């Protein structure tokens, strides 16, 4: 059961401002938000929050503060990412400590290659990034960012909180792009907060923070956020994607038995409620075949493409 946002319809700017005034975990409490006027939001239902957690559309309650030992998201070893983030003092230091410990390609949550579900969408023509600006928050070593660049994106931009991850992605880019005789400037990596990245920089009109993006790609990003940040996640994507642009979400982990996180359990219904409430229109949504998923994630993924509507 879901409760509607009071006072809808609202503009995206109002939603961003309202959500920013709520108590957000870690460093997001003091960060500023992008305030760019956008179109009106459609009235729809959103997850209901309580002290016990967040109730999803299928009735399950995800408890924000509960962490579990090990998950399919982490390969080769049992770990407690939530505990590591807490021990690091929050997302920035926590993720940085994981990367600075020497995370190698193919270890833990580093899959070592671009997501094959995304590759299939590009191969089929369902998604075209040629000549387009593509944004990937929580990009890790940047495998998917490089895939966009190799497919002709004019700009493929990856965001990461951890500076060591940005360094690792840049090194990987230089090795891969130079080896394949492709221009490295097509792919860029920056340490930045997704929620504040789109804040306009009036002193530099060419700053990526001023751009509207043709394609956004979200994989293992929403599930890594605290549940209370989900409405803000959707509103921020809406604010960043240009009209008629596309948001591609590789949805994981779809696991009704999973408690706690990160990664927090999600559902296709959750994504639809969040994104379609702010003005995205669903174009396609389908399960990912097990053989296409990264190791350990088979049967727990779906991929959807949403179009930012023209109002």
């Amino acid at each position: 059961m879901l409760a509607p946002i009071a006072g809808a319809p609202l503009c995206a700017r109002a939603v961003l401002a309202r959500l920013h005034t709520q108590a957000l975990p870690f460093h997001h409490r003091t960060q500023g938000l992008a305030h760019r006027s956008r179109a009106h939001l459609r009235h729809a239902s959103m997850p209901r929050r309580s002290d016990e957690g967040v109730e999803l559309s299928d009735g399950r309650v995800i408890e924000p503060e509960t962490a579990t030992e090990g998950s399919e998201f982490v390969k080769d070893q049992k770990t407690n990412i939530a505990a590591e983030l807490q021990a690091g003092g929050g997302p920035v230091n926590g993720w940085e400590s994981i990367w600075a410990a020497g995370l190698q390609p193919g270890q833990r949550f580093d899959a070592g290659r671009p997501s094959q579900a995304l590759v299939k969408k590009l191969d089929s023509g369902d998604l075209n990034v040629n000549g387009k600006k593509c944004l990937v928050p929580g990009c890790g070593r940047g495998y998917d960012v490089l895939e966009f660049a190799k497919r002709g994106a004019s700009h493929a931009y990856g965001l990461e909180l951890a500076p060591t991850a940005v360094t690792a992605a840049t090194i990987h880019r230089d090795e891969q792009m130079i080896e394949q005789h492709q221009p490295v400037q097509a792919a860029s990596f920056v340490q930045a907060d997704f929620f504040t990245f789109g804040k306009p920089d009036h002193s530099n009109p060419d700053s990526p923070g001023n751009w509207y993006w043709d394609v956004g790609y979200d994989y293992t990003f929403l599930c890594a956020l605290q549940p209370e940040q989900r409405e803000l996640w959707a509103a921020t994507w809406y604010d960043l994607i240009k009209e008629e642009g596309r948001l591609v979400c590789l949805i994981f982990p779809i696991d009704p038995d999973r408690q706690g996180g990160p990664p927090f359990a999600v559902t296709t219904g959750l994504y639809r409620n969040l994104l379609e409430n702010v003005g995205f229109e669903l174009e396609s949504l389908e399960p990912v075949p097990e053989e296409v998923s990264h190791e350990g994630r088979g049967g727990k993924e779906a991929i959807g493409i949403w179009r930012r509507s023209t109002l």
Side-chain angles (χ1 to χ4, degrees):
M1 289 73 69
L2 302 171
I5 297 178
L10 299 170
C11 68
R13 179 176 179 177
V15 171
L16 286 167
R18 174 174 65 83
L19 292 171
H20 184 50
T21 61
Q22 298 173 351
L24 294 175
F26 306 122
H27 66 301
H28 295 306
R29 293 173 180 166
T30 58
Q31 299 274 350
L33 291 174
H35 292 304
R36 292 181 291 183
S37 295
R38 295 284 194 176
H40 290 292
L41 305 184
R42 292 200 298 266
H43 177 75
S45 298
M46 300 296 292
R48 185 175 63 198
R49 284 155 175 75
S50 69
D51 292 339
E52 289 74 30
V54 178
E55 184 176 346
L56 304 183
S57 58
D58 59 5
R60 290 185 297 113
V61 175
I62 303 300
E63 299 177 1
E65 302 302 326
T66 303
T68 60
E69 291 281 353
S71 79
E72 293 80 1
F73 180 59
V74 179
K75 299 182 298 190
D76 301 328
Q77 61 176 315
K78 286 189 175 181
T79 187
N80 190 332
I81 293 178
E84 291 182 76
L85 296 182
Q86 284 293 111
V92 178
N93 293 334
W95 288 114
E96 171 61 14
S97 67
I98 293 173
W99 280 93
L103 182 69
Q104 298 298 309
Q107 289 183 342
R108 304 186 65 179
F109 50 79
D110 186 305
R113 62 174 183 168
S115 52
Q116 295 306 293
L118 173 63
V119 170
K120 287 177 70 67
K121 286 294 182 184
L122 292 166
D123 286 344
S124 69
D126 290 342
L127 180 65
N128 177 21
V129 299
N130 187 45
K132 297 181 179 180
K133 295 183 177 72
C134 304
L135 181 65
V136 184
C139 67
R141 208 175 301 269
Y143 303 112
D144 298 316
V145 177
L146 295 188
E147 190 66 28
F148 286 138
K150 293 174 184 177
R151 300 296 184 121
S154 61
H155 298 83
Y157 226 78
L159 308 183
E160 260 297 341
L161 286 176
T164 301
V166 174
T167 300
T170 302
I171 292 172
H172 179 68
R173 176 204 66 186
D174 293 347
E175 293 173 347
Q176 294 294 309
M177 301 294 275
I178 291 175
E179 180 181 309
Q180 298 178 26
H181 306 287
Q182 294 179 311
V184 296
Q185 63 267 27
S188 301
F189 301 95
V190 63
Q191 183 188 2
D193 184 339
F194 169 72
F195 296 108
T196 59
F197 174 69
K199 185 176 181 181
D201 182 358
H202 301 293
S203 65
N204 180 12
D206 295 326
S207 169
N210 295 329
W211 294 352
Y212 292 88
W213 300 86
D214 299 291
V215 176
Y217 181 60
D218 199 289
Y219 182 35
T220 65
F221 183 63
L222 177 62
C223 68
L225 299 174
Q226 294 295 309
E228 56 265 33
Q229 293 176 283
R230 289 171 175 169
E231 291 179 32
L232 180 58
W233 167 86
T236 302
W237 267 127
Y238 184 85
D239 201 48
L240 289 169
I241 301 291
K242 66 186 296 185
E243 288 187 359
E244 297 296 325
R246 301 301 191 270
L247 176 60
V248 183
C249 295
L250 188 44
I251 302 166
F252 171 83
I254 303 172
D255 184 356
D257 297 324
R258 179 168 182 77
Q259 294 294 318
F264 292 95
V266 293
T267 67
T268 56
L270 173 67
Y271 277 76
R272 292 200 63 177
N273 284 340
L274 290 171
L275 294 173
E276 292 165 37
N277 182 58
V278 298
F280 284 98
E281 295 182 357
L282 181 65
E283 289 194 331
S284 66
L285 180 62
E286 58 192 14
V288 174
E290 290 194 27
E291 65 273 15
V292 175
S293 293
H294 288 314
E295 180 186 352
R297 302 178 190 175
K300 298 180 180 180
E301 295 186 317
I303 188 167
I305 299 178
W306 281 264
R307 178 178 61 88
R308 188 188 183 278
S309 60
T310 301
L311 301 175

